[in-house]
Amino acid sequence: MTPTSIRAIVLVCLFGAVVIAVEVLVRWFSVNRAGEKAVNLRLKMIGSGRSHGEAMNLLRRADSAIPQGLPPIIEGWARKLERLLMQAQVTMATSRLMLIILVAPLAVFFLLVLFMASSNMGISFGRIVISMAFAVGIAGFLPLMVLNWKANRNRKKIQEQFPIALDVFVRGLRAGHPIAAALDLLTVEMPDPIGSQFGIAVDEVTYGAELRDSLQNMAERWDLDDMRMFVVSLSVQSETGGNLAEILENLSKVIRDRQSMMMKVRALSSEGRMTAVMLTVLPVFTFVMLFLFNASFFLDVANDPWFVPGFTFLFILYLIGFFTIRKMVDLKV
């Protein structure tokens, strides 16, 4: 064979290998995407080998119990953190997560101090303060902001999914399913986050809890009035009787009308809420990015005797503005 024919055969084989590899990757990606859309986190955990009880405890964070005897303020912060992690669907233990959040800023701070010492920049009190602020901002504040964003996204999504879940539940009742079977249908048909939450309620009932108590716990975990109205409707129907499917259908209509009103309010207040987001995130983002790309901008002036008082005063003003803006944009409908 001539060198030209050998080269042509090699190129054809190479082309065929690339086509096969691309096809395998595309098929693998499409199958994984279809699987992600078809099941929720609870079903993924059960499919990976965990039992229903383990999945239930991880999703509702039953293993992350708050220690007794804490001061009221710290206990309140701990409960808010637990609710935040549950709504963000974080399955890691709170103690381990908090250890990471506490150790990461210390690691970043010591790396900065090591960098200043190795580059002969000198270490002063002002540079230590600015390094600590950068470490807390990039390794402590930003992860908490991401968790809060994820929790708010899941909470908004579960509000949007709840009327659809009621419609599926009503169809199950009208098809002749009992209440428990209609709820179990939601755990399979509905995606996250509401599919996993109804799955937790069904698992609690399976392990001996009352259905009303399980649904009430779900409503309290997410602090949603729509879920509370659903629990009240089930309780009233179980005590007085009546057509539950019709009751829940009317409830679904009321929830949709209420969400329509909330969307109008959000549309009218969108400018103020976006301004609040920009005023809250932009200072931290600008400080972190500027420190990453031009650290000398802060380190060169950190030796000035007025730097620490000025920086502390700016931080206090930022906190005052942060809490003031949160109060201004916290609209109740």
Side-chain angles (χ1 to χ4, degrees):
M1 297 178 66
T2 63
T4 304
S5 59
I6 295 175
R7 183 179 300 176
I9 293 173
V10 171
L11 291 176
V12 169
C13 293
L14 182 61
F15 176 77
V18 171
V19 170
I20 294 174
V22 170
E23 184 179 356
V24 170
L25 289 175
V26 169
R27 183 174 297 179
W28 175 81
F29 182 76
S30 61
V31 169
N32 285 349
R33 291 290 296 175
E36 289 178 1
K37 293 181 180 178
V39 297
N40 50 54
L41 180 59
R42 171 178 169 272
L43 295 181
K44 289 180 183 178
M45 296 172 67
I46 294 174
S48 63
R50 297 182 184 273
S51 65
H52 288 262
E54 291 176 344
M56 177 185 66
N57 290 330
L58 287 174
L59 288 174
R60 70 176 185 176
R61 305 190 61 79
D63 295 334
S64 300
I66 300 175
Q68 300 294 329
L70 294 176
I73 298 179
I74 298 179
E75 184 177 357
W77 289 348
R79 293 189 183 278
K80 289 182 179 180
L81 178 62
E82 283 293 331
R83 176 174 293 182
L84 175 69
L85 296 177
M86 187 277 303
Q87 293 179 356
Q89 292 187 326
V90 176
T91 57
M92 185 184 298
T94 306
S95 57
R96 183 179 177 185
L97 181 64
M98 291 306 299
L99 180 63
I100 294 175
I101 293 178
L102 291 176
V103 170
L106 293 177
V108 174
F109 171 72
F110 282 116
L111 287 176
L112 288 174
V113 173
L114 183 63
F115 169 75
M116 288 187 293
S118 61
S119 57
N120 297 324
M121 298 182 71
I123 300 176
S124 62
F125 181 69
R127 289 179 175 175
I128 290 177
V129 170
I130 198 68
S131 300
M132 290 178 60
F134 172 77
V136 172
I138 195 172
F141 186 71
L142 289 181
L144 291 178
M145 285 182 62
V146 172
L147 288 175
N148 187 56
W149 170 79
K150 190 175 180 181
N152 289 333
R153 186 189 62 176
N154 288 338
R155 199 167 185 273
K156 292 176 183 177
K157 191 173 182 180
I158 206 171
Q159 286 178 324
E160 297 172 356
Q161 291 177 326
F162 194 69
I164 303 174
L166 286 181
D167 292 340
V168 175
F169 184 71
V170 168
R171 293 191 189 100
L173 293 177
R174 287 180 173 170
H177 294 290
I179 294 178
L183 283 177
D184 190 61
L185 184 65
L186 296 177
T187 67
V188 179
E189 297 293 334
M190 297 298 298
D192 276 331
I194 200 168
S196 296
Q197 296 305 313
F198 274 112
I200 294 174
V202 171
D203 288 340
E204 288 179 348
V205 173
T206 303
Y207 283 94
E210 292 290 336
L211 177 61
R212 183 178 62 182
D213 295 337
S214 299
L215 294 175
Q216 183 65 36
N217 291 335
M218 181 177 68
E220 294 301 326
R221 283 195 301 268
W222 290 88
D223 192 21
L224 293 176
D225 294 332
D226 297 342
M227 289 185 177
R228 294 190 180 99
M229 289 190 291
F230 173 63
V231 176
V232 170
S233 300
L234 289 179
S235 302
V236 171
Q237 191 274 339
S238 63
E239 295 176 0
T240 62
N243 190 345
L244 181 59
E246 184 177 355
I247 294 173
L248 294 181
E249 188 176 10
N250 293 331
L251 177 60
S252 177
K253 182 178 182 302
V254 171
I255 291 174
R256 282 190 168 91
D257 293 339
R258 183 169 174 267
Q259 287 184 354
S260 178
M261 178 64 69
M262 292 179 64
M263 292 300 293
K264 291 180 181 178
V265 174
R266 288 179 61 85
L268 293 174
S269 61
S270 59
E271 181 181 357
R273 290 185 294 105
M274 183 55 64
T275 303
V277 171
M278 295 301 296
L279 292 178
T280 301
V281 177
L282 191 59
V284 179
F285 179 79
T286 304
F287 170 69
V288 171
M289 291 297 103
L290 191 59
F291 198 98
L292 283 175
F293 293 103
N294 189 14
S296 60
F297 181 84
F298 294 104
L299 297 178
D300 290 344
V301 299
N303 292 326
D304 192 279
W306 284 98
F307 175 79
V308 174
F311 186 78
T312 306
F313 182 68
L314 287 177
F315 181 72
I316 294 173
L317 288 180
Y318 175 79
L319 292 179
I320 294 174
F322 174 77
F323 290 110
T324 303
I325 291 173
R326 282 183 63 92
K327 289 292 183 181
M328 291 175 64
V329 300
D330 188 14
L331 303 176
K332 304 295 183 181
V333 181

